[in-house]
Amino acid sequence: STVYFDDVELIGGDSEEDSNYDILWADDFNESQLDTSDWGYELGSIRGVEQQHYTKDKENVHVDDGKLVLEVTDRAKESQYKNPRGDRQVIYNSGSVRTHGKQDFLFGRIEVLAKLPEGQATFPAFWTLGSDFTLDGSINGDQGDGWPLSGEIDIMESIGDPNFVYETLHYSDTNKPGYTPGADNG
């Protein structure tokens, strides 16, 4: 589905529907640094043919005045390299955090308040993955399932236009012929 937002204002917030959900976990980023008991850093070039290398450097990931800031910076020329999954040069450092192995929910409501950047080649995203997702792809099926077998819900993805936001469900139909448990059946 495609969602367009233009001058949206939430009125209220204490609706009857809101009261049907218990808050299981929240992070208002009120500490001076990222709470690593709830969050972990993604490091390196870990997905797609992106031109960014994820770091835990304070220049790329920091907490500032109640906000988690994920910032892109130029990568030093001598530290640039070819993305292992394609022919693009990795020329940026960036930040990415996850709750894998630290927070796990089956049902509930997920909210995020985010300021999205404008401009070419930006791709801010907020998504969920199944807790059995293996972080190293399909190298070892005993560790869990590769993408998309564990499921992914893209709550928000934007490509260069903060007024245009995608929501996407990624999954694999395990009843399809050719399905192999532990393999990337996408």
Side-chain angles (χ1 to χ4, degrees), residues 70-186:
L70 304 174
E71 202 161 339
V72 176
T73 58
D74 291 325
R75 192 165 175 80
K77 188 78 169 164
E78 63 274 7
S79 297
Q80 295 178 9
Y81 59 94
K82 290 282 186 199
N83 183 302
R85 289 167 302 286
D87 199 29
R88 294 179 83 186
Q89 190 75 359
V90 176
I91 59 175
Y92 303 109
N93 283 338
S94 186
S96 183
V97 295
R98 63 181 176 213
T99 60
H100 185 277
K102 298 172 186 256
Q103 296 294 332
D104 190 297
F105 314 106
L106 183 57
F107 297 104
R109 174 182 168 154
I110 296 174
E111 295 182 13
V112 61
L113 176 63
K115 182 177 179 182
L116 306 180
E118 291 186 58
Q120 185 178 3
T122 65
F123 193 5
F126 181 73
W127 70 88
T128 65
L129 292 170
S131 61
D132 58 349
F133 178 72
T134 178
L135 297 178
D136 62 5
S138 294
I139 295 170
N140 181 349
D142 293 336
Q143 294 177 352
D145 291 322
W147 185 91
L149 291 179
S150 65
E152 176 182 337
I153 301 171
D154 295 333
I155 296 167
M156 181 283 305
E157 290 183 323
S158 176
I159 304 173
D161 182 351
N163 296 313
F164 190 85
V165 176
Y166 295 92
E167 300 170 315
T168 310
L169 297 175
H170 300 279
Y171 60 93
S172 180
D173 184 351
T174 58
N175 295 315
K176 287 192 310 190
Y179 168 77
T180 305
D184 186 357
N185 292 277

Side-chain angles (χ1 to χ4, degrees), residues 16-76:
E16 185 176 321
E17 184 178 309
D18 289 346
S19 65
N20 290 334
Y21 296 95
D22 292 329
I23 296 175
L24 301 176
W25 173 69
D27 193 338
D28 293 326
F29 301 105
N30 290 327
E31 302 298 322
S32 61
Q33 60 188 21
L34 190 67
D35 182 352
T36 56
S37 67
D38 286 325
W39 297 96
Y41 297 95
E42 292 192 295
L43 301 173
S45 175
I46 59 172
R47 72 179 69 81
V49 189
E50 298 177 346
Q51 291 186 277
Q52 62 190 344
H53 180 97
Y54 293 118
T55 78
K56 62 180 185 177
D57 190 292
K58 289 189 185 326
E59 190 175 38
N60 302 110
V61 181
H62 59 275
V63 175
D64 184 21
D65 195 27
K67 298 173 188 78
L68 170 64
V69 179
L70 304 174
E71 202 161 339
V72 176
T73 58
D74 291 325
R75 192 165 175 80

